[in-house]
C-alpha cells in the first residue's frame, strides 16, 4: 500500500503541473508597423526618415507653435521634406504619413526648445539704417541666471552661410545687442538665432526670420531745396539711400508748408506728394 500511495501522489503532482503551463500563442497575422526613425535638421529645416518600400503616397506635416499645419509632399523615391525657414523657439511637431498598397501609418517627432523657461532672450528686433548699418537688440530673460551670456548668429534661410555678431553691445557685461557695419553678405531673408550659455541651467534659444523690408528704416530726403517766385514754389529733394533697390515710385512724401505771420494755432494741413521723376513738387506760393 505504501508504494501505491507514492505512485498516486506523483501522478497527481504531474497533473497539477500540466494545468499551470500556459498555452503558447499561434503565429501573428498582423505585420508590425515599421519604425521610420524621423530626424530633423533645424539648420536646413529638413525632416528625413527611413524609406519604406512600395509606398504609394507620402506627405509631411509641420505644426509650429500657435500656427496651423504646413504640408509638404516629397518627390518620388525621396525620404525627406524641406520646409521654409521659420522660428522654432516655440517648438514644433513633425509628422510623416505613408500609404502603401496594404496599409496606412504615420509617425510623429516633437522638436522642443531645451532649457528653463524665461532664460532665453526676449524683445528681439533688428533695424537697418542709412543703408549700410544694422543694429539688433534684445533683453535678458527674466529667469536668466546672473552669469548668462548671449550670442547672436545670422544665416541665410537656406542654411548655407552663417556668421556670428562681429560687434556686441553690452549692459553690465551681458550681450544685449549687435552692431553690423558690413551688410554685403546679408541677403533679403535672414534667420537670426540668439542662444545663451551659463554655468547653471540650460538656456533656451530665441530665433526669428526677418526680411530687409521688415528691418529697413529710411532716412529723411537729402538736399532739400526751395525756389519761390511771386506765384509758386518749387520744392526739390534727393531720394534717400536704401539697402534695397527702390524706385522713386516706391516713396510717398508729405510737405509741411506754413505761411509766415499767421496765428500759431492756424496751420495748413500736410500736402501729400507722390514722387515725380525729378523728386520735386510745385506748390502755390
Amino acid at each position: 500500500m505504501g508504494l501505491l500511495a507514492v505512485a498516486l501522489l506523483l501522478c497527481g503532482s504531474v497533473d497539477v503541473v500540466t494545468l499551470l503551463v500556459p498555452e503558447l500563442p499561434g503565429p501573428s497575422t498582423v505585420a508590425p508597423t515599421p519604425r521610420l526613425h524621423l530626424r530633423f535638421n533645424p539648420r536646413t529645416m529638413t525632416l528625413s526618415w527611413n524609406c519604406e518600400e512600395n509606398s504609394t503616397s507620402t506627405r509631411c506635416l509641420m505644426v509650429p507653435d500657435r500656427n496651423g499645419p504646413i504640408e509638404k509632399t516629397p518627390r518620388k523615391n525621396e525620404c525627406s521634406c524641406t520646409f521654409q525657414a521659420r522660428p522654432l523657439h516655440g517648438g514644433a511637431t513633425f509628422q510623416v504619413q505613408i500609404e502603401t498598397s496594404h496599409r496606412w501609418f504615420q509617425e510623429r517627432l516633437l522638436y522642443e526648445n531645451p532649457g528653463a523657461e524665461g532664460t532665453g532672450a526676449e524683445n528681439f528686433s533688428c533695424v537697418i539704417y542709412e543703408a549700410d548699418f544694422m543694429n539688433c537688440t534684445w533683453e535678458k530673460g527674466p529667469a536668466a541666471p546672473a552669469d548668462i551670456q548671449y550670442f547672436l548668429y545670422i544665416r541665410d534661410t537656406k542654411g548655407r552661410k552663417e556668421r556670428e555678431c562681429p560687434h556686441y553691445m553690452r549692459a553690465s557685461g551681458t550681450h544685449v545687442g549687435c552692431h553690423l557695419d558690413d551688410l554685403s553678405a546679408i541677403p533679403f531673408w535672414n534667420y537670426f538665432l540668439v542662444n545663451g550659455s551659463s554655468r547653471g541651467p540650460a538656456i533656451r534659444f530665441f530665433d526669428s526670420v526677418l526680411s530687409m523690408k521688415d528691418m529697413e528704416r529710411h532716412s529723411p530726403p537729402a538736399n532739400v531745396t526751395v525756389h519761390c517766385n511771386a506765384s509758386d514754389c518749387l520744392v526739390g529733394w534727393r531720394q534717400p539711400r536704401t539697402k534695397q533697390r527702390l524706385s522713386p515710385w516706391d516713396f510717398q512724401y508729405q510737405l509741411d508748408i506754413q505761411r509766415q505771420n499767421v496765428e500759431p494755432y492756424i496751420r495748413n494741413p500736410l500736402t501729400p506728394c507722390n514722387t515725380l521723376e525729378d523728386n520735386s513738387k510745385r506748390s502755390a506760393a
Side-chain angles (χ1 to χ4, degrees):
M1 290 295 294
L3 292 175
L4 180 60
V6 171
L8 290 174
L9 179 61
L10 291 176
C11 290
S13 299
V14 171
D15 290 339
V16 172
V17 172
T18 302
L19 292 174
L20 293 178
V21 175
E23 183 180 357
L24 295 176
S28 175
T29 58
V30 179
T33 300
R35 292 283 297 169
L36 299 177
H37 298 287
L38 299 185
R39 302 171 296 277
F40 177 64
N41 183 340
R43 184 183 180 93
T44 60
M45 292 294 294
T46 300
L47 178 69
S48 58
W49 58 90
N50 293 349
C51 289
E52 174 67 13
E53 295 182 2
N54 302 322
S55 61
T56 57
S57 69
T58 303
R59 69 172 187 160
C60 314
L61 295 172
M62 175 185 177
V63 185
D65 184 47
R66 300 187 186 92
N67 291 295
I70 302 164
E71 183 175 338
K72 291 283 186 178
T73 301
R75 296 178 180 177
K76 187 176 181 180
N77 299 325
E78 286 191 357
C79 301
S80 65
C81 287
T82 299
F83 296 90
Q84 185 178 357
R86 61 185 57 247
L88 294 170
H89 61 269
T93 300
F94 296 91
Q95 181 175 315
V96 173
Q97 300 174 350
I98 294 181
E99 184 176 357
T100 68
S101 57
H102 302 290
R103 59 182 172 175
W104 177 93
F105 59 94
Q106 65 182 3
E107 190 168 312
R108 287 187 176 91
L109 172 68
L110 178 62
Y111 182 82
E112 296 181 299
N113 189 348
E117 184 175 356
T119 57
E122 296 185 348
N123 297 327
F124 179 87
S125 65
C126 291
V127 174
I128 295 175
Y129 62 98
E130 296 181 6
D132 296 322
F133 309 103
M134 181 169 72
N135 284 344
C136 296
T137 59
W138 58 88
E139 295 179 2
K140 181 179 176 181
D147 68 338
I148 183 69
Q149 191 57 279
Y150 295 108
F151 303 93
L152 172 66
Y153 298 89
I154 307 171
R155 66 172 179 252
D156 65 279
T157 53
K158 301 293 184 181
R160 296 169 182 165
K161 295 181 179 180
E162 182 178 87
R163 62 186 298 194
E164 185 183 353
C165 169
H167 306 292
Y168 283 108
M169 296 182 283
R170 297 175 173 83
S172 301
T174 302
H175 298 161
V176 293
C178 173
H179 173 74
L180 290 90
D181 53 16
D182 179 10
L183 305 185
S184 59
I186 300 295
F188 183 80
W189 284 100
N190 293 274
Y191 174 83
F192 296 86
L193 172 67
V194 182
N195 60 22
S197 64
S198 168
R199 292 190 296 270
I203 307 301
R204 288 193 174 185
F205 69 85
F206 177 87
D207 59 349
S208 181
V209 178
L210 297 173
S211 70
M212 284 189 180
K213 184 178 180 181
D214 298 326
M215 297 183 289
E216 187 161 15
R217 300 295 179 266
H218 303 306
S219 301
N223 291 356
V224 178
T225 59
V226 180
H227 300 284
C228 296
N229 56 31
S231 61
D232 56 24
C233 291
L234 180 65
V235 183
W237 58 87
R238 189 180 68 192
Q239 178 179 315
R241 292 179 59 246
T242 60
K243 177 62 177 174
Q244 303 178 75
R245 179 173 296 179
L246 300 175
S247 74
W249 303 104
D250 292 314
F251 288 88
Q252 290 186 343
Y253 300 95
Q254 289 180 320
L255 301 181
D256 186 1
I257 304 174
Q258 305 299 328
R259 294 180 179 274
Q260 293 182 338
N261 302 321
V262 296
E263 296 297 333
Y265 59 86
I266 300 177
R267 294 186 62 85
N268 292 331
L270 296 176
T271 303
C273 175
N274 292 324
T275 306
L276 305 179
E277 289 288 350
D278 57 353
N279 288 338
S280 62
K281 172 69 174 180
R282 188 173 296 275
S283 175

